[in-house]
Amino acid sequence: HLAKVAANESKNKMSRLKLGTTIGVNCILASPAPSLTFLSSLFLSAMTIYQSLNSSCFMFSVGFSVAASSLVGKTLGQNLTSASKYNARVSTIAACVVSALLGTTMYVSDHEILPGLFTKDVDVIRETARTLPLLSLYVFADGVQVTLSGVLKGCGMQVRER
């Protein structure tokens, strides 16, 4: 019996080692540091502005996500399922409206205005402007996704008051 336990333990250690090695290699290969070394400062500057705009838009949705999570969790904890559904809908609709407004504004406005707030370098502004139509679509989708994630978090384990 001890031999079987030792053999299983050895197999478990090997499988953990294989999994850890795979994860480690993926982390190294997926790390942006080695992959970004070939990019010029122009592209890195444009990417930095892109991410700054993305992060700014994302913060609106995070607020809706936190609100949805706490309101849905609170009402489910009080066993008020209809109020939970209402809170989930309101949070999601509000996030959709705000994300759609942000995305639409970014899509229809002159694409060189927002990057121009960060730099005066014309080449960086043009390069960043090329990415803004895609960012505008991403802002909408990500805003809805993060709010729905907040709703799901609120549906987690509830502690009921007695």
Side-chain angles (χ1 to χ4, degrees):
H1 178 60
L2 289 176
K4 283 184 179 180
V5 171
N8 283 337
E9 189 64 31
S10 176
K11 285 181 184 178
N12 286 339
K13 286 182 183 178
M14 284 303 292
S15 66
R16 283 189 226 134
L17 180 64
K18 287 179 185 176
L19 179 63
T21 304
T22 304
I23 291 172
V25 168
N26 283 335
C27 286
I28 290 169
L29 294 177
S31 172
S35 61
L36 294 179
T37 56
F38 68 90
L39 292 177
S40 71
S41 62
L42 170 70
F43 296 123
L44 289 175
S45 299
M47 185 179 71
T48 303
I49 294 171
Y50 174 95
Q51 272 308 113
S52 295
L53 291 170
N54 183 27
S55 298
S56 299
C57 293
F58 182 73
M59 289 302 127
F60 289 97
S61 302
V62 169
F64 289 114
S65 175
V66 171
S69 178
S70 60
L71 289 172
V72 169
K74 178 184 174 190
T75 52
L76 280 178
Q78 295 172 343
N79 207 19
L80 302 171
T81 56
S82 61
S84 295
K85 289 178 186 177
Y86 176 78
N87 289 330
R89 282 189 191 113
V90 168
S91 298
T92 304
I93 290 169
C96 284
V97 168
V98 169
S99 296
L101 285 173
L102 287 170
T104 303
T105 301
M106 197 177 297
Y107 191 82
V108 299
S109 67
D110 182 14
H111 294 159
E112 295 184 357
I113 292 174
L114 290 174
L117 297 174
F118 293 89
T119 184
K120 299 296 179 205
D121 187 343
V122 177
D123 293 332
V124 173
I125 291 172
R126 282 192 196 127
E127 194 61 39
T128 307
R130 290 180 44 208
T131 64
L132 289 187
L134 294 174
L135 178 60
S136 64
L137 297 172
Y138 179 78
V139 162
F140 174 72
D142 197 37
V144 174
Q145 177 275 136
V146 75
T147 304
L148 291 174
S149 176
V151 170
L152 290 175
K153 286 177 189 174
C155 292
M157 206 160 80
Q158 309 302 316
V159 178
R160 300 199 179 185
E161 297 176 13
R162 295 177 192 215

